[in-house]
Amino acid sequence: MNKRSRFILILAILAICFGFLWPSLKWYAWTPKEDQALALSSLENIKNYSSDKAAEDVKDLKAAVKSDSSQVLTDDQKWLLKAAKKNYKDMGETVPNPMTLRDALASFSDEEEILALIEGRYREKILADKKNYQNSVKLGLDLSGGMNVIVKADLDAVVAARDENSNVSADTLRVSAMEQAIETLTNRIDRFGLSSPTIRQQGDDRIYIEIPGSAETDQINSIIRGRGILNFRLVDDEASNSFSTYYSANKNNTFDSQGNLIDPSIIPEDCEVLGYYSTDDYGLDQREGFLVVKKESVLDGKHIKSAEVGTEDITGKPQVSFRLDADGAQIFADFTSANIGKNLAIVSDDRIKSNATIRTAITGGAVAITGFGQEEAKNLQKVLQTAWLDVPLTVENQQVIGASLGEQAIKQGVMAIAIGLAAIMLFMLFWYHGAGVNACVAQILNLYIMFSILSAFNFTITLPSIAGMILTIGMAVDANVIIFERIKEERRLGKDRASSISTGFGNALWAILDSNITTFIAAAFMSSLGSGAVQGFAYSLAIGVVSTLFTALVVSRLMFDFGTETVGHKGISIGWGVK
């Protein structure tokens, strides 16, 4: 590979690495702490915050117009100017110039349209921060503090409870049960406002949960042990209409802080109020309103055998179809024949996912539900497919790590890397003189590439990972030492600069590859056979091996060739007594 090709390769790799590292830079360097806390909160909290802030901003805009009707839009309000111009063009009217705040607000059909625009701006900003976090390097619990929990799923109980006539194999059932348990835990933990949990399967029947930040142990245990229930409830239309009227007049006095009715007498005793939710354009749960449903379940999710998404014949709209077992088919046929014209709600985790009208008696166990978008239909299908699975979960192990210890560990880790890197760079400069500069640049780029790869694969940095980085620094300089000593040997034999560099790199190549390949093999076995802290160390070490080979054999060689071919150096500053 000639010098030009090597230079282009290095630039391309550094540019790609910068793209990998960019989300981490935006998150850790340029996202304020308060914005980070908001982005790490649950989706429901983000939605509530966006709605509240939008309402405040609309109130401030209206107050500003009232105090000065001729106020012109400022540079900070360019987003409003852009939206107002579009509104005027859509209406076929002349765009005012200059655009006043009153003109801008007048371009919207109603206040709800302005609220939606402002809420969307807040939401997009917060979700963009959340995406940066998801694509960035994570800090482990030993660095950020928080809690880790290992949950055991009783898959044997799931297999034992399956229908004798079921044609689903035990292995397939176990896989489906684990997927359903992980999805249920993810949804439930996020709903309770716990910040950005990491939930993954560990082994065949265990689920590993990491929750950064502070969280109450009792609250976590109650969330994990709770079971997601899907069932069908009859909607009390008369009570729902009555409740809607009452809620409109008493929004602040209907529910307490726990979401319970302050005055239970406003609905029948055999009913309860549940929220009716759909999914908005941002993937957030959006409450459309409330419905009063019967407490007694019409049909449990355990009777569902299969579910699929299709389209309605006449309208072409999405439709979810599911089949019931024999008992469920009979129960559903009896119920629907007795309640034609009434509404039936599908409830999951105390949220109404669908509200369908019973048009006719449904017999044969085949049920079709419409009234939602394609994405919502797919989500509902997923819920229905796993509704019959009831996976008992138990907390097997739980550890709480203080955030103060994490901050101290971060400082100590960064200090260790900085001191180790500085000491090695000073030694290389002292012992190898000008060639030591090559080693220093290679070391800096080595760390840069390592962090970039960690960011690209969303790895989590822990104390063992930092130990792997520090070990990589020492190993990386070994490659430079071998190369420099080989070049010095060639210079002592009287060879010129170009020949010494070429032969030195050639003679050092296999020694460097041997040592790094054996290290990579050891790291590969540690990552595959180990877990937790061992895996973190192994990943960091393996990435360091790859980046070390690149910086030592490609970057350092380019710097030597640049001095030879471009600058025209004849001698080499590579140590005491060697020219």
mmCIF file of all heavy atoms in Angstrom, residues 272-301:
data_model
loop_
_atom_site.group_PDB
_atom_site.id
_atom_site.type_symbol
_atom_site.label_atom_id
_atom_site.label_comp_id
_atom_site.label_asym_id
_atom_site.label_seq_id
_atom_site.Cartn_x
_atom_site.Cartn_y
_atom_site.Cartn_z
ATOM 1 N N GLU A 272 -65.296 0.261 36.771
ATOM 2 C CA GLU A 272 -64.111 1.059 37.056
ATOM 3 C C GLU A 272 -63.757 1.896 35.838
ATOM 4 O O GLU A 272 -64.164 1.586 34.714
ATOM 5 C CB GLU A 272 -62.936 0.175 37.462
ATOM 6 C CG GLU A 272 -62.454 -0.768 36.388
ATOM 7 C CD GLU A 272 -61.261 -1.602 36.844
ATOM 8 O OE1 GLU A 272 -60.453 -1.075 37.625
ATOM 9 O OE2 GLU A 272 -61.151 -2.762 36.422
ATOM 10 N N VAL A 273 -63.001 2.986 36.078
ATOM 11 C CA VAL A 273 -62.609 3.901 35.012
ATOM 12 C C VAL A 273 -61.197 3.550 34.550
ATOM 13 O O VAL A 273 -60.272 3.461 35.362
ATOM 14 C CB VAL A 273 -62.661 5.365 35.480
ATOM 15 C CG1 VAL A 273 -62.188 6.291 34.363
ATOM 16 C CG2 VAL A 273 -64.054 5.738 35.920
ATOM 17 N N LEU A 274 -61.041 3.349 33.243
ATOM 18 C CA LEU A 274 -59.730 3.076 32.667
ATOM 19 C C LEU A 274 -59.466 4.047 31.522
ATOM 20 O O LEU A 274 -60.398 4.478 30.837
ATOM 21 C CB LEU A 274 -59.644 1.642 32.140
ATOM 22 C CG LEU A 274 -59.772 0.516 33.166
ATOM 23 C CD1 LEU A 274 -59.709 -0.836 32.465
ATOM 24 C CD2 LEU A 274 -58.699 0.605 34.235
ATOM 25 N N GLY A 275 -58.190 4.375 31.319
ATOM 26 C CA GLY A 275 -57.817 5.245 30.207
ATOM 27 C C GLY A 275 -57.827 4.495 28.894
ATOM 28 O O GLY A 275 -57.471 3.319 28.838
ATOM 29 N N TYR A 276 -58.234 5.197 27.840
ATOM 30 C CA TYR A 276 -58.248 4.622 26.495
ATOM 31 C C TYR A 276 -57.077 5.236 25.728
ATOM 32 O O TYR A 276 -57.021 6.452 25.537
ATOM 33 C CB TYR A 276 -59.578 4.915 25.810
ATOM 34 C CG TYR A 276 -59.665 4.436 24.380
ATOM 35 C CD1 TYR A 276 -59.085 3.241 23.994
ATOM 36 C CD2 TYR A 276 -60.339 5.169 23.410
ATOM 37 C CE1 TYR A 276 -59.161 2.781 22.691
ATOM 38 C CE2 TYR A 276 -60.436 4.721 22.097
ATOM 39 C CZ TYR A 276 -59.841 3.535 21.752
ATOM 40 O OH TYR A 276 -59.910 3.086 20.454
ATOM 41 N N TYR A 277 -56.119 4.405 25.298
ATOM 42 C CA TYR A 277 -54.862 4.892 24.738
ATOM 43 C C TYR A 277 -54.690 4.485 23.279
ATOM 44 O O TYR A 277 -55.114 3.415 22.854
ATOM 45 C CB TYR A 277 -53.669 4.342 25.539
ATOM 46 C CG TYR A 277 -53.539 4.944 26.917
ATOM 47 C CD1 TYR A 277 -54.285 4.452 27.979
ATOM 48 C CD2 TYR A 277 -52.677 6.008 27.153
ATOM 49 C CE1 TYR A 277 -54.165 5.001 29.246
ATOM 50 C CE2 TYR A 277 -52.551 6.562 28.420
ATOM 51 C CZ TYR A 277 -53.298 6.056 29.459
ATOM 52 O OH TYR A 277 -53.179 6.606 30.704
ATOM 53 N N SER A 278 -54.035 5.374 22.537
ATOM 54 C CA SER A 278 -53.572 5.060 21.185
ATOM 55 C C SER A 278 -52.117 5.502 21.094
ATOM 56 O O SER A 278 -51.600 6.139 22.005
ATOM 57 C CB SER A 278 -54.426 5.774 20.130
ATOM 58 O OG SER A 278 -54.283 7.181 20.239
ATOM 59 N N THR A 279 -51.458 5.175 19.987
ATOM 60 C CA THR A 279 -50.052 5.537 19.808
ATOM 61 C C THR A 279 -49.940 6.703 18.840
ATOM 62 O O THR A 279 -50.495 6.652 17.745
ATOM 63 C CB THR A 279 -49.254 4.335 19.265
ATOM 64 O OG1 THR A 279 -49.418 3.233 20.153
ATOM 65 C CG2 THR A 279 -47.771 4.678 19.159
ATOM 66 N N ASP A 280 -49.248 7.769 19.259
ATOM 67 C CA ASP A 280 -49.135 8.946 18.400
ATOM 68 C C ASP A 280 -47.963 8.816 17.440
ATOM 69 O O ASP A 280 -47.309 7.778 17.369
ATOM 70 C CB ASP A 280 -49.028 10.231 19.234
ATOM 71 C CG ASP A 280 -47.771 10.264 20.093
ATOM 72 O OD1 ASP A 280 -46.852 9.458 19.833
ATOM 73 O OD2 ASP A 280 -47.702 11.098 21.004
ATOM 74 N N ASP A 281 -47.687 9.880 16.690
ATOM 75 C CA ASP A 281 -46.652 9.835 15.653
ATOM 76 C C ASP A 281 -45.252 9.660 16.214
ATOM 77 O O ASP A 281 -44.330 9.294 15.489
ATOM 78 C CB ASP A 281 -46.688 11.129 14.822
ATOM 79 C CG ASP A 281 -47.975 11.248 14.023
ATOM 80 O OD1 ASP A 281 -48.588 10.195 13.760
ATOM 81 O OD2 ASP A 281 -48.365 12.379 13.683
ATOM 82 N N TYR A 282 -45.067 9.937 17.501
ATOM 83 C CA TYR A 282 -43.746 9.843 18.105
ATOM 84 C C TYR A 282 -43.532 8.523 18.843
ATOM 85 O O TYR A 282 -42.532 8.341 19.506
ATOM 86 C CB TYR A 282 -43.523 11.017 19.061
ATOM 87 C CG TYR A 282 -43.540 12.352 18.369
ATOM 88 C CD1 TYR A 282 -44.715 13.102 18.302
ATOM 89 C CD2 TYR A 282 -42.400 12.858 17.761
ATOM 90 C CE1 TYR A 282 -44.730 14.328 17.648
ATOM 91 C CE2 TYR A 282 -42.413 14.080 17.108
ATOM 92 C CZ TYR A 282 -43.581 14.803 17.055
ATOM 93 O OH TYR A 282 -43.608 16.012 16.406
ATOM 94 N N GLY A 283 -44.521 7.618 18.752
ATOM 95 C CA GLY A 283 -44.400 6.338 19.431
ATOM 96 C C GLY A 283 -44.745 6.411 20.901
ATOM 97 O O GLY A 283 -44.440 5.487 21.669
ATOM 98 N N LEU A 284 -45.376 7.496 21.338
ATOM 99 C CA LEU A 284 -45.761 7.658 22.728
ATOM 100 C C LEU A 284 -47.208 7.239 22.934
ATOM 101 O O LEU A 284 -48.053 7.409 22.058
ATOM 102 C CB LEU A 284 -45.605 9.121 23.158
ATOM 103 C CG LEU A 284 -44.218 9.730 23.010
ATOM 104 C CD1 LEU A 284 -44.245 11.197 23.364
ATOM 105 C CD2 LEU A 284 -43.222 9.012 23.884
ATOM 106 N N ASP A 285 -47.505 6.707 24.090
ATOM 107 C CA ASP A 285 -48.884 6.404 24.432
ATOM 108 C C ASP A 285 -49.658 7.705 24.577
ATOM 109 O O ASP A 285 -49.238 8.606 25.315
ATOM 110 C CB ASP A 285 -48.949 5.618 25.742
ATOM 111 C CG ASP A 285 -48.772 4.134 25.519
ATOM 112 O OD1 ASP A 285 -48.859 3.719 24.360
ATOM 113 O OD2 ASP A 285 -48.549 3.399 26.495
ATOM 114 N N GLN A 286 -50.763 7.772 23.893
ATOM 115 C CA GLN A 286 -51.572 8.990 23.918
ATOM 116 C C GLN A 286 -52.970 8.652 24.431
ATOM 117 O O GLN A 286 -53.685 7.860 23.825
ATOM 118 C CB GLN A 286 -51.676 9.574 22.510
ATOM 119 C CG GLN A 286 -52.524 10.832 22.421
ATOM 120 C CD GLN A 286 -52.401 11.478 21.069
ATOM 121 O OE1 GLN A 286 -51.426 12.153 20.781
ATOM 122 N NE2 GLN A 286 -53.385 11.261 20.212
ATOM 123 N N ARG A 287 -53.338 9.245 25.542
ATOM 124 C CA ARG A 287 -54.652 8.958 26.107
ATOM 125 C C ARG A 287 -55.715 9.736 25.355
ATOM 126 O O ARG A 287 -55.688 10.960 25.290
ATOM 127 C CB ARG A 287 -54.685 9.334 27.583
ATOM 128 C CG ARG A 287 -55.921 8.796 28.310
ATOM 129 C CD ARG A 287 -55.883 9.129 29.787
ATOM 130 N NE ARG A 287 -55.947 10.561 29.989
ATOM 131 C CZ ARG A 287 -55.398 11.226 30.996
ATOM 132 N NH1 ARG A 287 -54.696 10.559 31.883
ATOM 133 N NH2 ARG A 287 -55.497 12.528 31.116
ATOM 134 N N GLU A 288 -56.658 8.989 24.802
ATOM 135 C CA GLU A 288 -57.742 9.612 24.049
ATOM 136 C C GLU A 288 -58.882 10.033 24.959
ATOM 137 O O GLU A 288 -59.689 10.886 24.599
ATOM 138 C CB GLU A 288 -58.269 8.631 22.999
ATOM 139 C CG GLU A 288 -57.232 8.156 22.000
ATOM 140 C CD GLU A 288 -56.790 9.260 21.076
ATOM 141 O OE1 GLU A 288 -57.471 10.299 21.006
ATOM 142 O OE2 GLU A 288 -55.750 9.093 20.412
ATOM 143 N N GLY A 289 -58.952 9.434 26.120
ATOM 144 C CA GLY A 289 -60.031 9.747 27.049
ATOM 145 C C GLY A 289 -60.190 8.632 28.057
ATOM 146 O O GLY A 289 -59.258 7.833 28.282
ATOM 147 N N PHE A 290 -61.365 8.577 28.692
ATOM 148 C CA PHE A 290 -61.639 7.545 29.687
ATOM 149 C C PHE A 290 -62.916 6.795 29.311
ATOM 150 O O PHE A 290 -63.824 7.357 28.696
ATOM 151 C CB PHE A 290 -61.815 8.164 31.078
ATOM 152 C CG PHE A 290 -60.565 8.797 31.628
ATOM 153 C CD1 PHE A 290 -60.351 10.165 31.486
ATOM 154 C CD2 PHE A 290 -59.604 8.040 32.284
ATOM 155 C CE1 PHE A 290 -59.212 10.760 31.988
ATOM 156 C CE2 PHE A 290 -58.462 8.622 32.791
ATOM 157 C CZ PHE A 290 -58.261 9.983 32.637
ATOM 158 N N LEU A 291 -62.938 5.525 29.691
ATOM 159 C CA LEU A 291 -64.135 4.722 29.517
ATOM 160 C C LEU A 291 -64.446 4.017 30.826
ATOM 161 O O LEU A 291 -63.534 3.651 31.585
ATOM 162 C CB LEU A 291 -63.942 3.676 28.414
ATOM 163 C CG LEU A 291 -63.815 4.181 26.969
ATOM 164 C CD1 LEU A 291 -63.511 3.011 26.038
ATOM 165 C CD2 LEU A 291 -65.076 4.907 26.525
ATOM 166 N N VAL A 292 -65.723 3.841 31.091
ATOM 167 C CA VAL A 292 -66.164 3.095 32.266
ATOM 168 C C VAL A 292 -66.461 1.666 31.821
ATOM 169 O O VAL A 292 -67.303 1.449 30.933
ATOM 170 C CB VAL A 292 -67.412 3.733 32.902
ATOM 171 C CG1 VAL A 292 -67.869 2.915 34.110
ATOM 172 C CG2 VAL A 292 -67.124 5.182 33.313
ATOM 173 N N VAL A 293 -65.765 0.702 32.384
ATOM 174 C CA VAL A 293 -65.923 -0.702 31.990
ATOM 175 C C VAL A 293 -66.300 -1.534 33.207
ATOM 176 O O VAL A 293 -66.045 -1.165 34.356
ATOM 177 C CB VAL A 293 -64.628 -1.248 31.357
ATOM 178 C CG1 VAL A 293 -64.271 -0.487 30.105
ATOM 179 C CG2 VAL A 293 -63.469 -1.193 32.355
ATOM 180 N N LYS A 294 -66.888 -2.675 32.938
ATOM 181 C CA LYS A 294 -67.248 -3.602 34.004
ATOM 182 C C LYS A 294 -65.982 -4.203 34.617
ATOM 183 O O LYS A 294 -65.012 -4.478 33.930
ATOM 184 C CB LYS A 294 -68.128 -4.727 33.455
ATOM 185 C CG LYS A 294 -69.460 -4.256 32.876
ATOM 186 C CD LYS A 294 -70.374 -3.708 33.957
ATOM 187 C CE LYS A 294 -71.735 -3.341 33.381
ATOM 188 N NZ LYS A 294 -72.651 -2.778 34.407
ATOM 189 N N LYS A 295 -66.004 -4.401 35.919
ATOM 190 C CA LYS A 295 -64.860 -5.002 36.586
ATOM 191 C C LYS A 295 -64.693 -6.467 36.199
ATOM 192 O O LYS A 295 -63.580 -6.980 36.115
ATOM 193 C CB LYS A 295 -65.019 -4.889 38.103
ATOM 194 C CG LYS A 295 -64.921 -3.473 38.642
ATOM 195 C CD LYS A 295 -65.072 -3.462 40.145
ATOM 196 C CE LYS A 295 -64.956 -2.040 40.701
ATOM 197 N NZ LYS A 295 -65.145 -2.000 42.168
ATOM 198 N N GLU A 296 -65.807 -7.136 35.954
ATOM 199 C CA GLU A 296 -65.761 -8.550 35.619
ATOM 200 C C GLU A 296 -65.263 -8.745 34.190
ATOM 201 O O GLU A 296 -65.743 -8.110 33.259
ATOM 202 C CB GLU A 296 -67.144 -9.180 35.767
ATOM 203 C CG GLU A 296 -67.167 -10.673 35.505
ATOM 204 C CD GLU A 296 -68.558 -11.263 35.653
ATOM 205 O OE1 GLU A 296 -69.484 -10.500 35.992
ATOM 206 O OE2 GLU A 296 -68.705 -12.468 35.422
ATOM 207 N N SER A 297 -64.304 -9.641 34.047
ATOM 208 C CA SER A 297 -63.744 -9.914 32.730
ATOM 209 C C SER A 297 -64.670 -10.836 31.936
ATOM 210 O O SER A 297 -65.189 -11.824 32.480
ATOM 211 C CB SER A 297 -62.368 -10.562 32.880
ATOM 212 O OG SER A 297 -61.903 -11.025 31.654
ATOM 213 N N VAL A 298 -64.888 -10.513 30.667
ATOM 214 C CA VAL A 298 -65.708 -11.339 29.791
ATOM 215 C C VAL A 298 -64.928 -12.561 29.329
ATOM 216 O O VAL A 298 -65.416 -13.689 29.344
ATOM 217 C CB VAL A 298 -66.170 -10.528 28.559
ATOM 218 C CG1 VAL A 298 -66.915 -11.427 27.575
ATOM 219 C CG2 VAL A 298 -67.037 -9.363 28.990
ATOM 220 N N LEU A 299 -63.671 -12.315 28.945
ATOM 221 C CA LEU A 299 -62.844 -13.380 28.372
ATOM 222 C C LEU A 299 -61.391 -13.090 28.684
ATOM 223 O O LEU A 299 -60.907 -11.981 28.451
ATOM 224 C CB LEU A 299 -63.048 -13.446 26.849
ATOM 225 C CG LEU A 299 -62.338 -14.573 26.108
ATOM 226 C CD1 LEU A 299 -63.011 -15.912 26.429
ATOM 227 C CD2 LEU A 299 -62.376 -14.319 24.603
ATOM 228 N N ASP A 300 -60.705 -14.083 29.225
ATOM 229 C CA ASP A 300 -59.289 -13.927 29.535
ATOM 230 C C ASP A 300 -58.427 -14.180 28.301
ATOM 231 O O ASP A 300 -58.813 -14.924 27.391
ATOM 232 C CB ASP A 300 -58.860 -14.906 30.635
ATOM 233 C CG ASP A 300 -59.436 -14.509 31.985
ATOM 234 O OD1 ASP A 300 -59.688 -13.306 32.171
ATOM 235 O OD2 ASP A 300 -59.641 -15.395 32.837
ATOM 236 N N GLY A 301 -57.243 -13.579 28.298
ATOM 237 C CA GLY A 301 -56.335 -13.758 27.177
ATOM 238 C C GLY A 301 -55.847 -15.179 27.004
ATOM 239 O O GLY A 301 -55.372 -15.554 25.926
#
